[in-house]
Amino acid sequence: MKDIVRSVSIFYLFFSLLVGGWGDSAGRVRMTADEILKRMEENNVYKSSEIDGAFIITDRFGFRKKTFKLYSKGEDKVLIVFTNPEDEGQKILRIEGEIYLYFPGAEEIIHLQGSALRDSMLGSDFSYEDMTGEKEFRTLYDVLFVGEENVKGKECYRLHLTAKTGSAVYPVEELWISKQTFSLIRGRYYALSGRPLKELEVKEIKKIEGKFIPVHLIMRDLLKKDSKTELIIDRININIPVDEKLFSLEELSW
Amino acid sequence: MVMQFLLRLFYDFLSFLFERLLFVSRFMVLCMVFLLFFFVSGIELEAESFTTGRIVSYVSLVDFPETVNAFGGDTGSPAGDGNLFDRFRLIGLTKESIIVKSLKNQNVKGLVELSATLSNNLLLDIPRAYVKVRFPSFRLLIGKAHVSWGEGFMFNSGDVIFGGNRGSAVISCYSSSSSMTDNGGFSIGALSGENGSFISTTWLGDLYIPFGRFSYAEFVIFPYLFLSSLNGDSFDSIESVTFPTLKTTSLGMRIVSKLWKTKIEAGGLWKDNNLLPYISLQGHLFVNWSLSCSTRVDFEPILNPPDAFDDFNDFLADSVFPDIKENLSLSGAIYGGENVTPFPWLPIGISYRLESLIFPFLGWNEREDATRGLNPGYALFMYGDASLSFDSSLTWFLRGIVSPIDFSGSFYTGTRWSMYQGFSMIFGLSFQGGDSNDVWGWDRFGDFALLVGCEFKF
């Protein structure tokens, strides 16, 4: 009997270390890394959304502002329409893991697959993938609980994610997730070599229809000097009716 | 009343300016007033229309090695004798465009684009002016517009409407401002024709029928343009215009769909008793790729065969197949973007495009009797485009078009510096290489040019 208890204890300890679900000093059982990620995904995934927002791209020469409207449905359909004068009418459609770009001047659709998805979007620190992809962390990554940290006054869980497949945007990610709201507070994204590529910082979160949604974020491409892009969401409606036809080539070229 | 008075004043002023000083037609003046009205009314009707402007100004130092200009005419200038001050000229140009788009109605869209090239004279154009209407199961477009058929930037065999070989254009920093307006800071943009280069438009009617998320059929018809046949600006002389019969009207159709992850497009254009069929494919295998193929079938001999011939196959072989072979063209492209870090302190975003154009039944050997500057019917041309983005505002680019058969080429390299919102500085250098009878060469107008320019979008 003793052996059985010992075996179960060792198994529990090993499993807990693997997924981060061991008890704390007060005897409370913490959430597993997978549960934390699931709660964060629940904040990130909506049936549909309609967003008005802006990018503010800052580099050594100053800043540029690009405004946009974003429509999404489910986890894999996103349409972004730029509204600032320089880029007015440019559209990005993400569907079935592929990206289609529409350029109104040329009235042409460019179909992108592969590594081009990681290219910078309109010169910002966000890539096409950053803006339109990857909400299903648990299917793309193996996750490990690292610990708990205080990030700018917010108690956070720190998770370490390793990509299961090459289709993930970043091979390795570290996420700091608020213990209170289960929303992302900070993210750091790495190359396979372990080199940090980008850093995301969430400055403001709003509670909308029971979900904690970041409305002011800063992305820094760590390979670029003195470069950052702020993403500011001015208006967001979630779980509203969004026409399925929006996510088609017909709408893209309209 | 005040608005009416102001409009009237502007109309009179513009009429005087244009009619007396710039010699443009009343039609153009009305277009200007029309656009001005949009500007003025746009203050009150901001939500209903959207106006964007673009100005490109540049100064070029261009080599004139001989007394001929780019079109073969005499410039009146002395031949270059090796003295740089005799050979080089400083030229300047400004190009403006204004685009007014309707916004309010989700099912009806209107767009008017007015462009002007300004030097010591004014060239006005309306590249685009159309209305689009969306119905539940189809949409219509009527007006002057661009339709993008096939795949390819410089070479697109699938573009049977506007012609698949845009390589006849010299890539330089003096011939057109569009050549210099590379999309720095937006590397993917360089993969498309977004910079305005090579975008042709024409008057057309377009019926677009979507079926599914990625599939649609498109029918286009190109009406006869008769304004230039009128006697003066008046419609009174319309009865004297000889309109072509419906038999000679150009029309085309295409079907676009997707199989697995590959876009498939097939269609054709009927024009002057010729059928121009084409097929285009676009997909991804390690890199993004596209392929297009087209030819021309001359139906004239089929529709009007000789009274008697010995063998129908011989008749086809003699009268139809040569035309098909001669016009058979294939174009292919690979393109994409990568982020690389050659040194820890130097991250670079690379975008690239490589294209080729093949006419398999044309000449694979250099012709000694070729006329300089003209394609004597060579079978192969190649195009390359690469841009390196050092950060969100600084881009270096290199474009080149090459004729491997006569070893000649035209190249354009430069830097685009996007300093402020919508504003960019461009520094460019273009040059040609080749012998005197090659497609491109050292000994002609603009064989070497330097450019400094700026672009502002607002």
Side-chain angles (χ1 to χ4, degrees), chain A residues 140-157:
Chain A
L140 292 169
Y141 290 93
D142 288 320
V143 56
L144 269 175
F145 184 90
V146 176
E148 296 179 7
E149 282 181 19
N150 188 299
V151 179
K152 296 194 175 174
K154 293 188 179 75
E155 288 298 318
C156 293
Y157 297 114

Side-chain angles (χ1 to χ4, degrees), chain A residues 55 57-67 71 77 82-93 95-98 100-125 127-128 195 197-198 221-229 243-254, chain B residues 50-52 101 103 105-109 111 128 130 132-134 136 139-141 145-148 150-152 185-189 191-194 199 208 210 212-216 256 258 260-261 263 282-284 286 288 335-339 341 343-347 349-351 353 390-394 417-422 457-458:
Chain A
F55 291 110
I57 303 165
T58 307
D59 59 23
R60 66 188 108 165
F61 301 111
F63 69 90
R64 279 158 283 153
K65 187 176 181 182
K66 298 175 185 292
T67 54
Y71 306 89
K77 297 186 201 104
F82 287 92
T83 53
N84 57 299
E86 304 85 50
D87 308 298
E88 203 276 326
Q90 280 190 23
K91 296 178 189 174
I92 300 168
L93 173 67
I95 192 161
E96 295 181 6
E98 297 169 2
Y100 296 84
L101 311 177
Y102 176 70
F103 297 95
E107 298 189 15
E108 193 159 357
I109 292 172
I110 298 284
H111 181 197
L112 285 183
Q113 300 173 70
S115 58
L117 307 189
R118 290 163 199 165
D119 208 349
S120 161
M121 186 175 75
L122 274 81
S124 73
D125 295 84
S127 69
Y128 294 98
R195 182 175 188 184
L197 299 172
K198 288 185 183 178
D221 188 333
L222 300 175
L223 301 178
K224 295 178 183 172
K225 201 178 172 189
D226 304 325
S227 172
K228 68 174 182 178
T229 300
D243 193 347
E244 187 73 24
K245 283 184 178 174
L246 276 176
F247 310 100
S248 66
L249 295 190
E250 195 273 326
E251 178 62 33
L252 201 62
S253 62
W254 170 246
Chain B
F50 191 92
T51 305
T52 54
K101 282 182 191 176
L103 280 184
N105 195 318
Q106 290 296 308
N107 293 313
V108 183
K109 279 195 174 178
L111 183 146
R128 292 186 292 173
Y130 60 75
K132 280 199 279 194
V133 191
R134 183 155 61 176
R139 74 186 200 205
L140 279 173
L141 179 149
H146 172 75
V147 278
S148 177
E151 296 284 342
F186 184 21
S187 53
I188 293 292
L191 303 175
S192 80
E194 179 62 11
I199 303 303
Y208 181 106
R213 206 185 292 279
F214 300 104
S215 304
Y216 57 90
V256 179
K258 192 178 159 193
W260 300 105
K261 296 213 168 210
K263 178 190 166 195
Q282 193 276 323
H284 180 84
F286 305 115
N288 294 290
Y335 59 93
E338 295 285 346
N339 291 311
T341 311
F343 304 103
W345 45 270
L346 187 65
I350 298 176
S351 72
R353 176 176 275 275
F390 298 100
D391 55 29
S392 58
S393 60
L394 191 66
W417 183 19
S418 303
M419 299 167 74
Y420 304 112
Q421 178 131 17
K457 289 182 184 175
F458 52 94

Side-chain angles (χ1 to χ4, degrees), chain A residues 27-38:
Chain A
R28 293 182 300 249
V29 176
R30 293 178 187 153
M31 300 175 73
T32 65
D34 200 53
E35 284 170 340
I36 295 166
L37 212 53
K38 187 181 172 196

Side-chain angles (χ1 to χ4, degrees), chain B residues 157 293-295 324-331 357-364 377-380:
Chain B
S157 293
C293 175
S294 70
T295 187
I324 294 173
K325 283 169 66 177
E326 192 177 314
N327 288 287
L328 182 68
S329 74
L330 301 153
S331 65
L357 178 69
I358 300 171
F359 298 95
F361 297 101
L362 295 188
W364 287 91
Y378 290 149
L380 177 65

